[in-house]
Amino acid sequence: MRVLLVGSGGREHALAATLARSPHLTALFIAPGNPGTAKHGVNVAIGAENVPALITFAKEQAIDLIVPGPEAPLVAGLADACAKAEIACAGPTRAAARLEGSKSFTKEICYAAGIPTAQGERFTSVDAALTYIQERGAPIVVKADGLAAGKGVVVAQTLAEAEDAVREMMTQGSMGDAGRSVVIEDCLVGEEVSLFAFCSGETATLIGAAQDHKRIGDGDTGPNTGGMGAVSPPRGFDRAAQEQALDVMVRPMLKEMVRRGTPFRGVIFAGLMLTDAGPQLIEYNVRFGDPEAQALLLRLTSDLLPALKALADGQLDATPITFSDQASISVVMAAQGYPGKALTGAVISGIADANALKDVTVFQAGTAKNAAGELVVAGGRVLSVCAVGNTVQEARDKAYAGVKAISWDGAQWRTDIGARAL
């Protein structure tokens, strides 16, 4: 198969490396890719959200399958354009991608399908939102209704913090169009985990689970980020619990989407809170997570490419998907200033040394080559340093050994990724 992978982050580097191992692959293109993905295929200078250009390129190159990495092109209608061009796409239509593109739509689906989730409402009026906050009390969660790159959630511990979040999103435009309307919901308490499954129509096949670490600082302190690291599997959420969660959190959603005439095909990422009353849905994402994908894909023992083609063709139940029982860790190394304005341009050293360590793999994200051909910082989240081991502790030790081998001016990372899983 000739494959076009869309995206440029650490998730896409991990997907490129995994797809490149498939004996079914004849050509791999990545749009736009990064210096890391270039080692596994051909980078193409087309932006991930430039749907017309992606389709034109796919036709010119006789692409058999398009694999979307991030959510934005899906919400922009990439899968719809693929269907019109008769190109297989391993991702949902624009209508189905509303599961991630609109937090209020997810609430609507949950209520219709009987999926456990926090009580919440959508608001387009600042005054109405502030009144609701006063009625519900704190702690309370304020979410930008639209896409906000994983940063549009404020878990407010006080009424004042919640009110500030509403004003910043809805009046000051801190989240752009994504925050013009907000969803305000009750605060759930427990361990947060990410559940992943391949889905097609009403069929769902478990991939596995991971635990992301969202905040910038150790001990879950500081502002939210796109994710500072992940551990797989999470503590207290074994495969039996994952399968049960699939029955409660994913399959009813798939049936409701089919009932509405907008069936879902692709990877679903269900963000769950493991509360004392049982799992509750926080959100759906319509693609692999980042940095969860980097950790999960290291444990994949079957061929990813046929699985992605099968879900695109609606034949998912005929394709075996297997993962090792090993643990895996992904540690994000970020630029100085992240999650605010990242300082770019610093020269990165030590990636080859880290990759030379046993069971360590470094995936690139916010990187570029400078005029001298040196690898430099070019974004907020720069690298995902990953490792597998027979235990979480072993994987963790290996991953942090990889982190220590890499350096650049201003590099920052959390030192406690996976600590809760021990």
Side-chain angles (χ1 to χ4, degrees):
M1 278 186 278
R2 296 172 64 82
V3 177
L4 173 60
L5 171 63
V6 178
S8 62
R11 164 184 49 218
E12 286 74 41
H13 188 180
L15 283 166
T18 306
L19 291 169
R21 297 199 301 264
S22 174
H24 299 284
L25 185 73
T26 51
L28 176 62
F29 301 93
I30 309 98
N34 64 45
T37 64
K39 297 176 182 178
H40 305 289
V42 178
N43 286 350
V44 182
I46 301 174
E49 297 176 51
N50 191 346
V51 173
L54 291 171
I55 296 299
T56 297
F57 178 83
K59 287 179 178 178
E60 291 172 351
Q61 292 294 328
I63 295 297
D64 299 300
L65 177 68
I66 291 182
V67 179
E71 64 277 10
L74 293 167
V75 173
L78 176 59
D80 307 75
C82 286
K84 188 175 180 180
E86 299 184 338
I87 302 168
C89 179
T93 61
R94 178 191 281 117
R98 287 186 68 202
L99 287 167
E100 180 165 3
S102 170
K103 301 295 188 297
S104 57
F105 179 72
T106 290
K107 285 292 181 191
E108 181 184 318
I109 292 294
C110 287
Y111 296 153
I115 295 167
T117 189
Q119 177 64 41
E121 292 186 23
R122 175 179 181 263
F123 296 91
T124 57
S125 161
V126 173
D127 290 342
L130 296 177
T131 299
Y132 183 80
I133 288 169
Q134 289 291 335
E135 291 172 351
R136 300 301 293 183
I140 197 164
V141 179
V142 180
K143 296 180 176 180
D145 194 10
L147 293 180
K151 301 174 189 175
V153 178
V154 175
V155 181
Q157 299 301 319
T158 65
L159 291 177
E161 190 180 352
E163 291 166 353
D164 287 346
V166 166
R167 293 190 184 99
E168 287 174 8
M169 290 184 194
M170 300 185 73
T171 304
Q172 299 170 25
S174 64
M175 295 296 161
D177 290 342
R180 298 304 178 191
S181 63
V182 298
V183 171
I184 302 175
E185 63 184 30
D186 293 348
C187 184
L188 299 172
V189 178
E191 284 288 318
E192 189 173 343
V193 297
S194 305
L195 180 73
F196 294 87
F198 291 123
C199 302
S200 187
E202 294 189 12
T203 302
T205 301
L206 181 66
I207 296 173
Q211 184 169 55
D212 189 10
H213 297 63
K214 277 287 186 188
R215 294 184 182 270
I216 187 68
D218 286 358
D220 292 325
T221 57
N224 269 341
T225 71
M228 291 301 293
V231 56
S232 179
R235 183 184 65 180
F237 194 55
D238 61 16
R239 195 160 187 87
Q242 294 168 31
E243 288 283 5
Q244 185 178 13
L246 207 60
D247 283 337
V248 176
M249 303 293 180
V250 175
R251 293 191 173 104
M253 174 275 289
L254 294 176
K255 289 181 180 179
E256 176 63 16
M257 294 295 283
V258 168
R259 188 188 71 78
R260 291 172 177 237
T262 54
F264 183 91
R265 287 184 180 178
V267 175
I268 201 73
F269 160 174
L272 309 178
M273 187 69 79
L274 305 183
T275 74
D276 289 342
Q280 300 265 322
L281 186 89
I282 301 170
E283 64 179 356
Y284 289 122
N285 292 327
V286 297
R287 37 67 187 182
F288 275 111
D290 184 341
E292 296 98 330
Q294 292 90 302
L296 278 169
L297 290 171
L298 285 181
R299 297 175 50 229
L300 181 69
T301 53
S302 54
D303 192 339
L304 178 63
L305 185 50
L308 293 176
K309 185 64 164 64
L311 72 83
D313 294 341
Q315 300 172 342
L316 183 59
D317 49 359
T319 306
I321 300 161
T322 57
F323 285 79
S324 77
D325 292 329
Q326 286 186 300
S328 56
I329 294 278
S330 171
V331 179
V332 170
M333 298 183 72
Q336 184 177 348
Y338 181 79
K341 182 174 176 56
L343 298 181
T344 60
V347 176
I348 303 166
S349 64
I351 290 181
D353 295 331
N355 277 326
L357 298 173
K358 181 176 171 55
D359 297 326
V360 174
T361 305
V362 181
F363 296 117
Q364 296 183 36
T367 62
K369 292 288 184 72
N370 65 13
E374 298 167 310
L375 191 71
V376 298
V377 172
R381 292 189 296 170
V382 182
L383 304 173
S384 287
V385 184
C386 309
V388 294
N390 293 323
T391 64
V392 170
Q393 184 66 64
E394 184 180 316
R396 194 165 180 263
D397 290 344
K398 291 176 179 177
Y400 277 108
V403 169
K404 289 178 181 177
I406 299 168
S407 65
W408 72 84
D409 290 342
Q412 60 169 326
W413 61 89
R414 283 181 56 162
T415 64
D416 62 347
I417 303 300
R420 288 198 304 258
L422 295 175

